[in-house]
Amino acid sequence: MLMALLPLIAALPIMMVIILMAGFMWPAKRAMPLAWGLAVLLGLLVWQVDPARVMAATLEGVLSAFDILIIVFGAIVLLNTMKNSGAIDVINKGFDGITPDRRIQVLIIGWMFVSFIEGAAGFGTPAALAAPLLMGLGFPPLAAVMCALIFNSTSVTFGAVGTPIIVGTEAAVSGMLPEAVAMRGFLVNVGIWSAVFHGILGTFLPLLVVAMLTRFYGKNKSFREGLQAGPFALFAGLSFTGPYFLMAYFVGPELPSVVGALIGLFIVVTAARAGFLMPAEAWDFPRPEEWEEDWGEPLQAATAQKSAGTSMSLFKAWLPYILVAIILVLTRLGVFGLDSLLRAFTIEWPEILGQKGVNWVIRPLWLPGTVPFMLIALLTILLHKMPGNQVKEAWLKTINQLIPAAIALFFALAMVRVLVQTDINAAGYPSMLMVMSRSAAAGVGQAWPLVSPFVGALGAFVSGSNTVANILFGGFQFSVAEGLGISKTIISAMQAVGGATGNMIAVHNVVAACAVCGIVGREGFVIRRNLLPSLLYTFLVGILGQIIIYGYGTAVF
């Protein structure tokens, strides 16, 4: 009886996370410690793991969280520094006057700018930043939130310079790769396959969003008005996904979103100014007095935030992010040997507490949170001539933003490492993670690729983070693929892509975007409306993955 129930018992910590966060709306900083505690109890009492090994696994997880926290801190402190210097306001104002057509505006800001901010900062920042910007241009708050959240998906797999893959996936599969397979090479290939899925499906996302925009927020409630902008929408989609795929293929998982969006933004803005593929007639929302009550109140020009950096040039405002992109390319291509130089400095703790296979290593200078993000954040202080009080405010705000995330990450990673490291136990069972994966492989069988992206989407929906979703389920998906004898690389990519599609409806992100746009209480409505594109994207990823894995990817590790 116990053996039959073992997969269910092993899954209890993850089920607790889902129930507490999705069912009871608990924040991750409260749910994750309890889930870790349950994993520890199961490891000690059911799997009969040595307490020293459980403690070592916990330390391994907590220490591994610093990789993510360094990246997040660097990305957010640069963004907060640029907000305080007035650079973000200048960038926002740079979008004014390009076109009065709302369909094109949402493509430039919602698709391109959101993707750039996701690639540069991630972690819920893009929608919370872009939605108020769309409101400032005259979008109804509900429309602004819907569009910003749906568009904050394709870029998410490579958000915060690739953190979901280079940290999330690595943490999930650490210790599971054969000796002949290098971790960096595996992660690069996961990024390439992720870019294949997003490159094919993400190209059509702008067309879907403009059609939804005109159908739900237009005077005529017509999909057709959105489809009239179809040529430009597809052009905008390809302008991002084209360079996005090339960055993943030739450079690595750090650059697809940030550089792809930077290139795409330049292409699309240039095309819009030149009238290339633009609709014959501009489209606009009904007058504010005709808006439906649920849409929210229009943003009054008199209450719009005034830029602190109105005298700053547009180039100077963009310069920090341009420098970030240049430094990332130079350090990741390895042309000048900078990659090996940055990777040379390591801090490690092998066999923590004497436990075999429980190891920790960090390369602080190689993490993009230090070079280039913190480096450029410090340089921005000089470039933008910021007074000390603005700098202090930016750094303190970042620390305060990071504390809840740190608590959640410490315990999430600790829980996952406990699930993995229960492989050595007195009960004679496989690890908790292996028990779950074998059960899933037996239950679903060769149709697992259809299910795989939905697992990733569930993780993001619950946690609000593709990185955390990969940490929670990446090792599980890897083990299922291994048990079925199918490509572990492609399944890991589908996990990462599913985490991005689930981001459209992630509870934490929806709550944050609604709060900044003044429509608190409409979160459920936003989730229901965004559920269709999220499920459609996820379902198509599953279909495409099923075809690729059994048609082309049979020889892919």
Side-chain angles (χ1 to χ4, degrees):
M1 177 64 73
L2 180 61
M3 289 300 295
L5 292 175
L6 211 56
L8 180 61
I9 295 171
L12 285 176
I14 292 177
M15 291 170 61
M16 174 180 279
V17 172
I18 295 170
I19 292 170
L20 292 179
M21 294 181 65
F24 291 93
M25 302 296 288
W26 279 28
K29 66 179 182 180
R30 289 178 61 195
M32 289 301 179
L34 290 178
W36 165 79
L38 180 56
V40 167
L41 287 176
L42 294 175
L44 293 172
L45 301 178
V46 180
W47 268 257
Q48 300 175 34
V49 181
D50 187 331
R53 188 168 183 83
V54 173
M55 178 60 70
T58 297
L59 287 172
E60 181 189 19
V62 170
L63 292 171
S64 298
F66 282 100
D67 290 53
I68 304 173
L69 293 173
I70 289 171
I71 297 172
V72 177
F73 180 86
I76 301 299
V77 79
L78 175 58
L79 181 64
N80 285 337
T81 299
M82 292 178 64
K83 282 183 178 179
N84 283 12
S85 75
I88 293 297
D89 283 336
V90 173
I91 290 171
N92 290 348
K93 290 180 184 297
F95 294 121
D96 291 346
I98 295 174
T99 173
D101 194 317
R102 306 301 191 185
R103 297 165 298 185
I104 309 304
Q105 288 176 349
V106 81
L107 293 176
I108 293 172
I109 297 169
W111 174 237
M112 289 301 182
F113 190 54
V114 159
S115 296
F116 177 79
I117 295 298
E118 175 62 39
F123 292 92
T125 303
L129 184 65
L133 175 56
L134 290 170
M135 282 179 59
L137 294 176
F139 279 60
L142 198 61
V145 170
M146 179 194 79
C147 295
L149 287 168
I150 295 175
F151 275 138
N152 192 202
S153 53
T154 301
S155 56
V156 166
T157 295
F158 301 101
V161 286
T163 301
I165 290 177
I166 64 174
V167 178
T169 301
E170 179 175 358
V173 304
S174 178
M176 301 174 72
L177 294 181
E179 290 185 7
V181 179
M183 178 62 79
R184 175 65 186 179
F186 173 73
L187 297 178
V188 168
N189 286 328
V190 169
I192 291 171
W193 281 106
S194 298
V196 168
F197 289 106
H198 279 313
I200 294 171
L201 299 173
T203 301
F204 297 92
L205 190 62
L207 178 60
L208 175 63
V209 172
V210 294
M212 291 179 65
L213 184 68
T214 58
R215 169 63 181 83
F216 295 120
Y217 300 98
K219 184 176 182 179
N220 299 319
K221 305 290 185 182
S222 168
F223 283 119
R224 184 177 179 182
E225 291 176 323
L227 297 177
Q228 287 171 353
F232 193 91
L234 292 173
F235 170 75
L238 193 59
S239 295
F240 171 55
T241 58
Y244 170 95
F245 174 78
L246 293 175
M247 286 294 111
Y249 190 84
F250 288 107
V251 182
E254 293 90 350
L255 293 178
S257 292
V258 66
V259 174
L262 193 61
I263 293 172
L265 184 64
F266 174 78
I267 293 172
V268 168
V269 169
T270 302
R273 290 188 185 279
F276 179 69
L277 294 178
M278 292 280 281
E281 296 182 6
W283 179 88
D284 201 354
F285 300 104
R287 292 176 299 176
E289 56 267 26
E290 298 174 0
W291 289 2
E292 296 177 15
E293 184 178 352
D294 291 338
W295 292 6
E297 295 295 324
L299 182 68
Q300 301 299 324
T303 65
Q305 183 180 1
K306 300 299 181 182
S307 171
T310 50
S311 62
M312 187 184 300
S313 70
L314 190 58
F315 174 77
K316 191 174 181 180
W318 273 102
L319 185 56
Y321 278 136
I322 294 172
L323 291 174
V324 164
I326 291 172
I327 292 174
L328 282 171
V329 171
L330 292 177
T331 55
R332 266 54 186 177
L333 279 178
V335 177
F336 304 105
L338 294 174
D339 58 334
S340 57
L341 183 66
L342 294 176
R343 290 170 67 90
F345 175 59
T346 62
I347 303 171
E348 56 185 314
W349 187 358
E351 297 194 351
I352 299 171
L353 302 184
Q355 296 298 313
K356 182 181 178 182
V358 186
N359 309 299
W360 172 71
V361 61
I362 188 172
R363 296 178 175 85
L365 298 180
W366 175 249
L367 294 173
T370 49
V371 179
F373 281 119
M374 288 191 213
L375 177 64
I376 298 302
L378 294 172
L379 184 59
T380 301
I381 298 170
L382 302 176
L383 288 173
H384 294 174
K385 300 178 181 178
M386 296 177 64
N389 63 320
Q390 288 185 351
V391 176
K392 180 180 178 182
E393 181 187 349
W395 285 71
L396 288 177
K397 182 180 179 182
T398 304
I399 293 171
N400 290 331
Q401 286 177 282
L402 214 60
I403 290 173
I407 296 171
L409 285 169
F410 286 148
F411 285 100
L413 275 159
M415 179 193 75
V416 170
R417 297 319 296 168
V418 169
L419 297 180
V420 171
Q421 299 294 3
T422 49
D423 56 334
I424 298 177
N425 58 75
Y429 301 145
S431 71
M432 296 169 72
L433 184 67
M434 190 60 68
V435 167
M436 283 188 285
S437 62
R438 287 179 180 176
S439 176
V444 179
Q446 299 301 314
W448 184 257
L450 294 173
V451 176
S452 176
F454 285 96
V455 174
L458 175 64
F461 169 72
V462 169
S463 67
S465 166
N466 198 353
T467 300
V468 175
N470 288 350
I471 290 168
L472 288 173
F473 295 120
F476 166 69
Q477 297 247 33
F478 186 99
S479 297
V480 172
E482 191 169 45
L484 292 170
I486 59 178
S487 173
K488 296 171 280 294
T489 302
I490 299 176
I491 287 294
S492 295
M494 294 177 72
Q495 157 67 35
V497 173
T501 63
N503 203 66
M504 299 183 195
I505 53 172
V507 176
H508 293 58
N509 296 342
V510 172
V511 169
C514 288
V516 298
C517 289
I519 51 171
V520 174
R522 303 299 297 158
E523 295 86 358
F525 184 86
V526 172
I527 290 175
R528 287 195 298 273
R529 181 151 287 177
N530 287 9
L531 189 62
L532 177 60
S534 177
L535 291 178
L536 178 62
Y537 203 136
T538 310
F539 174 72
L540 292 175
V541 170
I543 294 291
L544 188 57
Q546 188 85 9
I547 294 170
I548 290 174
I549 284 176
Y550 294 110
Y552 171 81
T554 52
V556 178
F557 170 79

